[in-house]
Every structure is written in structure tokens, then in C-alpha cells.
Amino acid sequence: MSTKVAVIGDRFMQPEVFVAALRERVGAELELRTLELPWPDEPMQHGYAGDALEGLTEFMGRPEDFVELLAGCEILVNHLAPVTGWLLDRCPLLRLIAVSRGGPTNIDMAAARARGVAVVNAPGRNASAVAEFTIGAILAETRLIRLGHESLRQGIWRGDLYRADVTGDELCEMTVGIIGYGHIGTKVVRLLKPFGCRILVDDPYVPLRAEDRADGVEETGLDRLLERSDVVSLHARVTAETRGFLGAPQLARMKRGAYFINTARGPMVDYEALYEALSSGHLRGAMLETFWQEPPPPNAPLLRLPSVTLTPHIAGASLKTVRHAAAMMAAEVGRHLRGEPFANPC
């Protein structure tokens, strides 16, 4: 007898990639139903920007959009579709939700637990992609790559970027502060080591790895990290504790002329305070990959600052991320069907 599985993907986590992984890795007969959402061609909704849906963040669609697809299904393999108590009440046979994200922010976890529905996720699915992107972001800022690019696009030869009072220093002469030492932060540290820079790490919940400590990476508190770093790179998760925790007082602690890199999430940063720190010249530059709302308003003053590099939340976008996340979900589905413990239960 086949197991009914609903697959809700999109134009990044494509349904056919999920299906291929399930066919390859699950040794059982599956009846697969698929649906493709229009993200990222159309933006998702963000609970922290006013699109609240029972406390969920970063989702696409409404629960009522998925009732028919999920009817009679035991398993949901999901990326962005919101799962609420209302939806679960209409899917009484559902026993597993495999959400291919670093955190189940589009799942009402309390509702799932109350109904005996297991939820698994894909921690670290895009850690490699984001870590590589972060190194590129640091180099783009500190070595003035963006400024050179923008001037040449306008037909201007910025020879002055070679001036000693304008050019950037090398990473081997800098101190880089890493806030958050999880899947991504640890990879950023590993990639930074060959550059020879001094590396500081702040994470009150994750101890420094022995190999990093042996290589001279220093564990320190947030204030000390901000005061000593030439580059501060954010890799924490959004929690009640971290929401807005980088505000005006923290930015004021940063060294004059330092750079700020955010490839994590926007709600952890006071962007008005960041604008003031940049426009006043206290900070020399910033690379911003995530924002207080996404997409940000096109007339936002921060988007017009010449000292800021901007990208539309693409750090985690890589084909490896897609393949890896799909494989992780297929493996969890196999464990469920065999009655084995999950690798990444939420």
C-alpha cells in the first residue's frame, strides 16, 4: 500500500527535485502530489513586517490554499507553505511535516505538537552558500570592489581609489568579529582563517571549537567584539533575545571606520540607527543582504547611501542548497516510514 505524500515547493526548492530525492532515497511506494509556489519571483510574506499569521514568519500563501492538496496525506514535504492549527485540523491523517529550511518559521509548532504531528527541518542546508557569500561581501566592502564597479558603470575612472587615504586594508591586517557561531558562523570562521585575520566570536550558547581556539580564534562578549573589530558580520538567529539587539548603543561601540555585514536577518538590527551610523561617517560601509521588511521600500534612505552594498536576500541561493535540502528531507521521510528516530526533529 502506498503512502500519500504532498510536496509543496517553489521556483527555488523545486518540487521535481524533492520528488527525485524521495524516489532515490525512500525505499517505499509513494503516491506523490506536487504544487509549485511562485517564490522567489513573487515575495514571501514576513510576520515581522505586519503579515502575521498565528505567529508565523516567512511564508507564502494562506492555509486554505493547501487543504485540497493535503487531503488524505500522511506526509508533507514543504518549503514555504504556512501550516497552522486550522490547516492541521483539516488534515487529520498528517503525521509528518518535513520543512526544508534552517528553522520551521512557517509552521505553528505548538499546534503540531498538540496534534501529534512530527516536524523536521534542514539545519545548515545553506550554511556553505551563506558563508561563501559572506566572504565575498567582506572583500567587496573592504577592498572597494563595489565602489570601483559603480564608478566604471557610470564611465568614471576612480583612480583615487588607489590613494593611501582612500584604499582599504587587507584582511590579514584586520580583526573580523563574528556574531553567532552556529552552522554558518563556524563556516565563516573556517573560510576566514587562510586570510590571516584576527577572528573574534560572540555566541553565549555555543562554545568555541577546540580547533578554532588552537588556531587563535578568540571567544569574547558582544561589547568587546564591537569595540575591537574592523568588520562585524552577523550570523545569529532571530529570537526574542536577539530581536533589535544591534541598536544605536551597539553601533556606537563599533570602531570608527568599521564595516557591518548582515547576511542573517533584518529584525535583529535597528536600521534607522544603522543609517545614522553610516551617514555620519562613523561606519565606513555596510553590506546588507537582509532588511527590516522584504522587499524594503524602494525610497528607503538607507538604499541610497553610497557606502552601502545591497543584495536581495540571495546569500543562501545555490544549487548545492537545493540538492542538500531535498536529500535531507527525503532521508527524514525514510526514517519516518521505517520507524527510526529523526536526525533533525524540531
Coordinates of all heavy atoms in Angstrom, one line a residue, residues 108-191:
D108 N 3.3 26.3 12.7 CA 2.8 26.5 14.1 C 3.2 25.3 14.9 O 2.5 24.3 14.9 CB 1.3 26.7 14.1 CG 0.8 27.1 15.5 OD1 1.4 26.7 16.5 OD2 -0.3 27.7 15.6
M109 N 4.4 25.4 15.5 CA 4.9 24.2 16.2 C 4.1 23.8 17.4 O 3.9 22.6 17.6 CB 6.3 24.5 16.7 CG 7.4 24.7 15.6 SD 7.5 23.2 14.7 CE 8.0 22.0 15.9
A110 N 3.5 24.7 18.1 CA 2.6 24.3 19.2 C 1.4 23.5 18.7 O 1.0 22.5 19.3 CB 2.2 25.6 20.0
A111 N 0.8 24.0 17.6 CA -0.3 23.3 17.0 C 0.1 21.9 16.6 O -0.7 20.9 16.7 CB -0.9 24.1 15.9
A112 N 1.3 21.7 16.0 CA 1.7 20.4 15.5 C 1.9 19.5 16.7 O 1.5 18.3 16.6 CB 3.0 20.6 14.7
R113 N 2.6 20.0 17.7 CA 2.8 19.1 18.9 C 1.5 18.7 19.5 O 1.3 17.5 19.9 CB 3.6 19.9 19.9 CG 5.1 20.1 19.5 CD 5.9 20.6 20.6 NE 7.2 21.1 20.2 CZ 7.5 22.4 20.0 NH1 6.6 23.3 20.2 NH2 8.7 22.7 19.6
A114 N 0.5 19.6 19.6 CA -0.7 19.3 20.2 C -1.5 18.2 19.5 O -2.3 17.5 20.0 CB -1.6 20.5 20.3
R115 N -1.2 18.1 18.2 CA -1.9 17.1 17.3 C -1.1 15.9 17.0 O -1.5 15.1 16.2 CB -2.4 17.8 16.1 CG -3.5 18.9 16.3 CD -3.6 19.9 15.2 NE -4.7 20.8 15.5 CZ -4.6 21.9 16.3 NH1 -3.5 22.1 17.0 NH2 -5.6 22.7 16.5
G116 N 0.1 15.8 17.6 CA 0.9 14.6 17.4 C 1.5 14.6 16.0 O 1.9 13.5 15.5
V117 N 1.7 15.7 15.4 CA 2.4 15.8 14.1 C 3.9 16.1 14.3 O 4.2 17.1 14.8 CB 1.7 16.8 13.2 CG1 2.4 16.9 11.8 CG2 0.2 16.5 13.0
A118 N 4.7 15.2 13.8 CA 6.2 15.5 13.9 C 6.6 16.5 12.9 O 6.1 16.5 11.8 CB 6.9 14.2 13.7
V119 N 7.6 17.3 13.3 CA 8.1 18.3 12.3 C 9.7 18.2 12.3 O 10.3 18.1 13.4 CB 7.8 19.8 12.8 CG1 8.4 20.8 11.8 CG2 6.2 19.9 12.8
V120 N 10.2 18.1 11.2 CA 11.7 18.0 11.0 C 12.1 19.2 10.1 O 11.3 19.7 9.3 CB 12.2 16.7 10.4 CG1 11.9 15.6 11.4 CG2 11.5 16.4 9.1
N121 N 13.3 19.6 10.2 CA 13.8 20.7 9.3 C 15.2 20.4 8.8 O 15.6 19.3 8.9 CB 13.8 22.0 10.1 CG 14.8 22.1 11.2 OD1 15.1 21.1 11.9 ND2 15.4 23.3 11.4
A122 N 15.8 21.4 8.2 CA 17.1 21.2 7.5 C 18.1 22.2 8.0 O 18.6 23.0 7.2 CB 16.9 21.3 6.0
P123 N 18.6 22.0 9.2 CA 19.6 23.0 9.7 C 20.9 22.9 9.0 O 21.3 21.8 8.6 CB 19.7 22.6 11.2 CG 19.3 21.1 11.2 CD 18.2 21.0 10.2
G124 N 21.4 24.0 8.6 CA 22.7 24.1 7.9 C 22.6 23.8 6.4 O 23.6 23.7 5.7
R125 N 21.3 23.8 5.9 CA 21.1 23.4 4.5 C 21.9 24.4 3.6 O 22.4 24.0 2.5 CB 19.7 23.5 4.1 CG 19.0 24.8 4.3 CD 17.7 25.0 3.6 NE 17.3 26.4 3.6 CZ 16.4 26.9 2.8 NH1 15.9 26.1 1.9 NH2 16.1 28.2 2.8
N126 N 21.9 25.7 3.9 CA 22.6 26.7 3.1 C 23.8 27.3 3.7 O 24.3 28.4 3.3 CB 21.6 27.8 2.6 CG 21.0 28.5 3.8 OD1 21.5 28.4 5.0 ND2 20.1 29.4 3.5
A127 N 24.3 26.6 4.8 CA 25.5 27.2 5.5 C 26.7 27.5 4.6 O 27.3 28.6 4.7 CB 25.8 26.3 6.7
S128 N 27.0 26.6 3.8 CA 28.1 26.7 2.9 C 27.9 27.9 1.9 O 28.8 28.7 1.7 CB 28.4 25.5 2.1 OG 29.4 25.6 1.2
A129 N 26.7 28.0 1.4 CA 26.4 29.1 0.5 C 26.5 30.5 1.1 O 27.1 31.4 0.6 CB 25.0 28.9 -0.2
V130 N 25.9 30.6 2.3 CA 25.9 31.9 3.0 C 27.4 32.2 3.5 O 27.8 33.4 3.4 CB 25.0 31.9 4.2 CG1 25.0 33.2 5.0 CG2 23.5 31.6 3.7
A131 N 28.1 31.3 3.9 CA 29.5 31.5 4.4 C 30.3 32.0 3.2 O 31.1 33.0 3.4 CB 30.1 30.3 5.0
E132 N 30.2 31.4 2.1 CA 31.0 31.9 0.9 C 30.6 33.3 0.5 O 31.4 34.1 0.2 CB 30.8 30.9 -0.3 CG 31.5 29.6 -0.2 CD 31.3 28.8 -1.4 OE1 30.7 29.2 -2.4 OE2 31.8 27.6 -1.4
F133 N 29.3 33.5 0.5 CA 28.7 34.8 0.2 C 29.3 35.9 1.1 O 29.6 37.0 0.7 CB 27.2 34.8 0.2 CG 26.5 36.0 -0.3 CD1 26.0 36.0 -1.6 CD2 26.3 37.1 0.5 CE1 25.4 37.1 -2.1 CE2 25.6 38.2 0.0 CZ 25.2 38.2 -1.3
T134 N 29.4 35.5 2.4 CA 29.8 36.5 3.4 C 31.3 36.9 3.1 O 31.6 38.1 3.3 CB 29.7 35.8 4.8 OG1 28.4 35.6 5.1 CG2 30.3 36.8 5.9
I135 N 32.1 35.9 2.8 CA 33.5 36.3 2.4 C 33.5 37.2 1.2 O 34.3 38.2 1.2 CB 34.3 35.0 2.1 CG1 34.3 34.0 3.3 CG2 35.7 35.4 1.7 CD1 34.9 34.6 4.6
G136 N 32.7 37.0 0.2 CA 32.6 37.9 -0.9 C 32.2 39.3 -0.5 O 32.7 40.3 -1.0
A137 N 31.2 39.3 0.4 CA 30.7 40.6 0.9 C 31.8 41.4 1.6 O 31.9 42.6 1.5 CB 29.5 40.4 1.8
I138 N 32.5 40.7 2.5 CA 33.6 41.4 3.2 C 34.6 41.9 2.2 O 35.1 43.1 2.4 CB 34.2 40.4 4.2 CG1 33.3 40.0 5.3 CG2 35.5 41.0 4.8 CD1 33.7 38.9 6.2
L139 N 35.0 41.2 1.3 CA 36.0 41.6 0.3 C 35.5 42.8 -0.6 O 36.2 43.7 -0.9 CB 36.5 40.5 -0.6 CG 37.3 39.4 0.1 CD1 37.5 38.2 -0.8 CD2 38.6 39.9 0.6
A140 N 34.2 42.7 -1.0 CA 33.6 43.7 -1.8 C 33.6 45.1 -1.0 O 33.9 46.1 -1.7 CB 32.2 43.4 -2.1
E141 N 33.4 45.0 0.3 CA 33.5 46.3 1.1 C 34.9 46.7 1.4 O 35.2 47.9 1.1 CB 32.7 46.1 2.4 CG 31.2 46.0 2.2 CD 30.7 47.3 1.5 OE1 30.9 48.4 2.1 OE2 30.1 47.2 0.4
T142 N 35.7 45.9 1.9 CA 37.0 46.3 2.4 C 38.0 46.6 1.3 O 38.9 47.4 1.5 CB 37.6 45.2 3.3 OG1 37.8 44.0 2.6 CG2 36.7 45.0 4.5
R143 N 37.8 46.0 0.1 CA 38.7 46.3 -1.0 C 38.1 47.2 -2.0 O 38.6 47.3 -3.1 CB 39.2 45.0 -1.6 CG 40.0 44.0 -0.6 CD 41.1 44.7 0.1 NE 42.0 45.3 -0.9 CZ 43.0 44.7 -1.5 NH1 43.2 43.4 -1.2 NH2 43.8 45.3 -2.3
L144 N 37.0 47.8 -1.7 CA 36.4 48.8 -2.6 C 35.9 48.3 -3.9 O 35.9 49.1 -4.9 CB 37.3 50.0 -2.7 CG 37.9 50.6 -1.4 CD1 38.7 51.9 -1.7 CD2 36.8 50.9 -0.4
I145 N 35.6 47.0 -4.0 CA 35.2 46.4 -5.3 C 33.9 47.1 -5.8 O 33.8 47.4 -7.0 CB 35.0 44.9 -5.1 CG1 36.4 44.3 -4.8 CG2 34.4 44.3 -6.4 CD1 36.4 42.8 -4.4
R146 N 32.9 47.3 -4.8 CA 31.7 47.9 -5.3 C 31.9 49.3 -5.8 O 31.3 49.7 -6.8 CB 30.7 47.9 -4.1 CG 29.4 48.7 -4.4 CD 28.5 48.8 -3.2 NE 29.2 49.2 -2.0 CZ 29.6 50.4 -1.7 NH1 29.3 51.4 -2.5 NH2 30.2 50.7 -0.5
L147 N 32.7 50.1 -5.1 CA 32.9 51.5 -5.5 C 33.5 51.5 -6.9 O 33.2 52.4 -7.7 CB 33.8 52.2 -4.5 CG 33.1 52.6 -3.1 CD1 34.2 53.2 -2.2 CD2 32.0 53.5 -3.3
G148 N 34.5 50.7 -7.1 CA 35.1 50.7 -8.4 C 34.2 50.2 -9.5 O 34.1 50.8 -10.6
H149 N 33.3 49.3 -9.2 CA 32.3 48.8 -10.2 C 31.3 49.9 -10.5 O 31.1 50.2 -11.7 CB 31.6 47.6 -9.6 CG 30.4 47.2 -10.3 ND1 30.4 46.5 -11.5 CD2 29.1 47.5 -10.1 CE1 29.1 46.3 -11.9 NE2 28.3 46.9 -11.1
E150 N 30.8 50.5 -9.5 CA 29.8 51.6 -9.7 C 30.3 52.7 -10.5 O 29.6 53.3 -11.4 CB 29.2 52.0 -8.4 CG 28.4 51.0 -7.7 CD 27.8 51.5 -6.4 OE1 28.2 52.5 -5.9 OE2 26.9 50.8 -5.8
S151 N 31.6 53.2 -10.2 CA 32.1 54.3 -11.0 C 32.3 54.0 -12.4 O 32.0 54.8 -13.3 CB 33.4 54.7 -10.3 OG 34.4 53.7 -10.4
L152 N 32.9 52.8 -12.7 CA 33.1 52.4 -14.1 C 31.8 52.2 -14.9 O 31.7 52.5 -16.1 CB 33.9 51.1 -14.2 CG 35.4 51.3 -14.0 CD1 36.1 49.9 -14.0 CD2 36.0 52.1 -15.2
R153 N 30.7 51.8 -14.2 CA 29.4 51.7 -14.8 C 28.9 53.1 -15.3 O 28.2 53.2 -16.2 CB 28.4 51.1 -13.8 CG 28.4 49.6 -13.6 CD 27.8 48.9 -14.9 NE 27.6 47.5 -14.5 CZ 27.2 46.6 -15.5 NH1 27.2 47.0 -16.7 NH2 27.0 45.4 -15.1
Q154 N 29.4 54.1 -14.6 CA 29.0 55.5 -14.9 C 30.0 56.1 -15.8 O 29.9 57.3 -16.1 CB 28.8 56.3 -13.6 CG 27.8 55.7 -12.7 CD 27.8 56.4 -11.3 OE1 28.2 57.6 -11.2 NE2 27.5 55.7 -10.3
G155 N 31.0 55.4 -16.3 CA 32.0 55.9 -17.2 C 33.1 56.8 -16.4 O 33.8 57.6 -17.1
I156 N 33.2 56.5 -15.1 CA 34.2 57.3 -14.3 C 35.3 56.4 -13.9 O 35.1 55.3 -13.3 CB 33.5 57.9 -13.1 CG1 32.3 58.8 -13.5 CG2 34.5 58.7 -12.2 CD1 31.4 59.3 -12.4
W157 N 36.5 56.8 -14.2 CA 37.7 56.1 -13.7 C 38.2 56.6 -12.4 O 38.7 57.7 -12.3 CB 38.8 56.2 -14.8 CG 40.1 55.5 -14.4 CD1 41.2 55.9 -13.8 CD2 40.3 54.1 -14.7 NE1 42.1 54.9 -13.6 CE2 41.6 53.8 -14.2 CE3 39.6 53.1 -15.4 CZ2 42.2 52.5 -14.4 CZ3 40.2 51.8 -15.5 CH2 41.5 51.6 -15.0
R158 N 37.9 55.8 -11.3 CA 38.2 56.3 -10.0 C 39.7 55.9 -9.6 O 39.9 55.0 -8.8 CB 37.3 55.6 -9.0 CG 35.8 56.1 -9.0 CD 35.7 57.5 -8.3 NE 36.2 57.5 -7.0 CZ 35.5 57.2 -5.9 NH1 34.3 56.8 -5.9 NH2 36.1 57.3 -4.7
G159 N 40.6 56.6 -10.2 CA 42.0 56.4 -9.9 C 42.3 56.7 -8.4 O 43.2 56.2 -7.8
D160 N 41.4 57.6 -7.8 CA 41.7 58.0 -6.4 C 41.5 56.8 -5.5 O 41.9 56.9 -4.3 CB 40.7 59.1 -6.1 CG 39.3 58.7 -6.1 OD1 38.8 58.3 -7.2 OD2 38.6 58.8 -5.1
L161 N 40.8 55.7 -5.9 CA 40.7 54.6 -5.1 C 42.0 53.9 -4.7 O 42.0 53.0 -3.9 CB 39.7 53.6 -5.7 CG 38.3 54.0 -5.9 CD1 37.4 52.9 -6.5 CD2 37.6 54.5 -4.6
Y162 N 43.0 54.3 -5.5 CA 44.4 53.8 -5.2 C 45.1 54.6 -4.1 O 46.2 54.3 -3.7 CB 45.2 53.7 -6.5 CG 46.1 52.5 -6.6 CD1 45.9 51.5 -7.5 CD2 47.3 52.5 -5.8 CE1 46.7 50.4 -7.6 CE2 48.1 51.4 -5.9 CZ 47.8 50.4 -6.8 OH 48.7 49.3 -6.9
R163 N 44.5 55.8 -3.8 CA 45.2 56.7 -2.8 C 45.3 56.0 -1.4 O 44.4 55.2 -1.0 CB 44.4 57.9 -2.6 CG 44.5 58.9 -3.8 CD 43.5 60.1 -3.6 NE 43.7 60.7 -2.3 CZ 43.9 62.0 -2.1 NH1 43.9 62.8 -3.1 NH2 44.0 62.5 -0.9
A164 N 46.4 56.2 -0.7 CA 46.6 55.6 0.6 C 45.5 56.0 1.6 O 45.2 55.3 2.5 CB 48.0 55.9 1.1
D165 N 45.0 57.2 1.4 CA 44.0 57.7 2.4 C 42.6 57.2 2.0 O 41.6 57.6 2.7 CB 44.1 59.2 2.6 CG 43.8 59.9 1.3 OD1 43.9 59.3 0.2 OD2 43.6 61.2 1.3
V166 N 42.5 56.5 0.9 CA 41.1 56.0 0.5 C 41.0 54.5 0.4 O 40.0 53.9 0.8 CB 40.8 56.6 -1.0 CG1 39.5 56.0 -1.5 CG2 40.8 58.1 -0.9
T167 N 42.1 53.9 0.0 CA 42.0 52.4 -0.3 C 41.8 51.6 1.0 O 42.0 52.1 2.1 CB 43.3 51.9 -0.9 OG1 43.1 50.6 -1.4 CG2 44.5 51.9 0.0
G168 N 41.4 50.4 0.9 CA 41.1 49.6 2.0 C 42.3 48.7 2.4 O 43.3 48.6 1.6
D169 N 42.3 48.3 3.6 CA 43.4 47.4 4.1 C 43.1 46.0 3.7 O 42.1 45.6 3.2 CB 43.6 47.5 5.6 CG 45.1 47.4 6.0 OD1 45.8 46.7 5.3 OD2 45.4 48.0 7.1
E170 N 44.1 45.1 3.9 CA 44.0 43.7 3.6 C 43.4 43.0 4.8 O 43.6 43.4 6.0 CB 45.3 43.1 3.2 CG 45.9 43.7 2.0 CD 47.3 43.1 1.7 OE1 47.6 42.0 2.1 OE2 48.1 43.9 1.0
L171 N 42.7 41.9 4.6 CA 42.1 41.1 5.7 C 43.2 40.6 6.7 O 42.9 40.5 7.8 CB 41.3 39.9 5.1 CG 39.9 40.2 4.8 CD1 39.2 38.9 4.3 CD2 39.1 40.6 6.1
C172 N 44.4 40.4 6.2 CA 45.4 39.9 7.1 C 45.8 40.9 8.1 O 46.5 40.6 9.1 CB 46.7 39.4 6.3 SG 47.5 40.7 5.4
E173 N 45.4 42.2 7.9 CA 45.7 43.2 8.9 C 44.5 43.6 9.7 O 44.5 44.6 10.5 CB 46.2 44.5 8.1 CG 47.5 44.3 7.4 CD 48.7 44.0 8.3 OE1 48.7 44.6 9.4 OE2 49.6 43.2 8.0
M174 N 43.4 42.9 9.5 CA 42.1 43.3 10.1 C 41.7 42.3 11.2 O 42.2 41.2 11.3 CB 41.0 43.4 9.1 CG 41.2 44.5 8.1 SD 39.7 44.6 7.0 CE 40.1 46.1 6.1
T175 N 40.8 42.8 12.1 CA 40.1 42.0 13.0 C 38.6 41.8 12.6 O 38.0 42.9 12.3 CB 40.1 42.6 14.4 OG1 41.5 42.7 14.9 CG2 39.3 41.8 15.4
V176 N 38.2 40.6 12.4 CA 36.8 40.3 12.0 C 36.0 39.7 13.2 O 36.4 38.7 13.7 CB 36.8 39.4 10.8 CG1 35.3 39.1 10.4 CG2 37.6 40.0 9.6
G177 N 34.9 40.3 13.5 CA 34.1 39.9 14.6 C 32.9 39.1 14.0 O 32.1 39.6 13.2
I178 N 32.7 37.9 14.5 CA 31.6 37.0 14.1 C 30.6 36.9 15.2 O 30.9 36.4 16.3 CB 32.1 35.6 13.7 CG1 33.2 35.7 12.6 CG2 30.9 34.7 13.2 CD1 32.8 36.3 11.3
I179 N 29.4 37.4 15.0 CA 28.3 37.3 15.9 C 27.4 36.1 15.6 O 26.7 36.2 14.6 CB 27.4 38.6 16.0 CG1 28.3 39.8 16.3 CG2 26.3 38.5 17.0 CD1 27.6 41.1 16.3
G180 N 27.4 35.1 16.4 CA 26.7 33.9 16.0 C 27.6 32.8 15.5 O 28.3 33.0 14.5
Y181 N 27.7 31.7 16.2 CA 28.7 30.6 15.9 C 28.0 29.3 15.7 O 28.4 28.2 16.1 CB 29.6 30.5 17.1 CG 30.9 29.7 17.0 CD1 31.8 30.0 16.0 CD2 31.1 28.6 17.8 CE1 33.0 29.2 15.9 CE2 32.2 27.8 17.7 CZ 33.2 28.1 16.7 OH 34.3 27.3 16.6
G182 N 26.9 29.4 14.9 CA 26.2 28.2 14.5 C 26.7 27.6 13.2 O 27.9 27.7 12.9
H183 N 25.8 27.0 12.4 CA 26.2 26.3 11.2 C 26.9 27.3 10.3 O 27.9 26.9 9.7 CB 25.0 25.8 10.5 CG 24.3 24.6 11.2 ND1 24.9 23.3 11.1 CD2 23.2 24.5 11.9 CE1 24.1 22.5 11.8 NE2 23.1 23.2 12.3
I184 N 26.4 28.5 10.1 CA 27.0 29.5 9.2 C 28.3 30.1 9.8 O 29.3 30.2 9.2 CB 26.0 30.5 8.8 CG1 24.9 29.9 8.0 CG2 26.7 31.6 7.9 CD1 23.7 30.8 7.7
G185 N 28.1 30.6 11.1 CA 29.2 31.3 11.7 C 30.5 30.5 11.8 O 31.6 31.0 11.5
T186 N 30.4 29.2 12.1 CA 31.5 28.3 12.1 C 32.2 28.2 10.8 O 33.4 28.1 10.7 CB 31.2 26.9 12.7 OG1 30.1 26.4 11.9 CG2 30.7 27.0 14.1
K187 N 31.4 28.1 9.7 CA 32.0 28.0 8.4 C 32.6 29.3 8.0 O 33.7 29.3 7.3 CB 30.9 27.6 7.4 CG 30.4 26.2 7.5 CD 29.5 25.8 6.4 CE 29.0 24.3 6.5 NZ 30.1 23.4 6.2
V188 N 32.1 30.4 8.3 CA 32.7 31.7 8.0 C 34.1 31.8 8.7 O 35.1 32.2 8.1 CB 31.8 32.9 8.5 CG1 32.6 34.2 8.3 CG2 30.5 32.9 7.7
V189 N 34.1 31.3 10.0 CA 35.4 31.3 10.7 C 36.4 30.5 9.9 O 37.6 30.9 9.7 CB 35.2 30.8 12.1 CG1 36.6 30.5 12.8 CG2 34.5 31.8 12.9
R190 N 36.0 29.3 9.5 CA 36.9 28.4 8.7 C 37.4 29.0 7.5 O 38.6 28.9 7.1 CB 36.2 27.1 8.4 CG 37.1 26.0 7.9 CD 36.3 24.7 7.6 NE 35.6 24.3 8.9 CZ 34.3 23.9 8.9 NH1 33.6 23.9 7.8 NH2 33.8 23.6 10.0
L191 N 36.5 29.7 6.7 CA 36.9 30.3 5.5 C 37.8 31.6 5.7 O 38.7 31.9 4.8 CB 35.7 30.7 4.7 CG 34.9 29.6 4.1 CD1 33.6 30.1 3.4 CD2 35.6 28.7 3.2

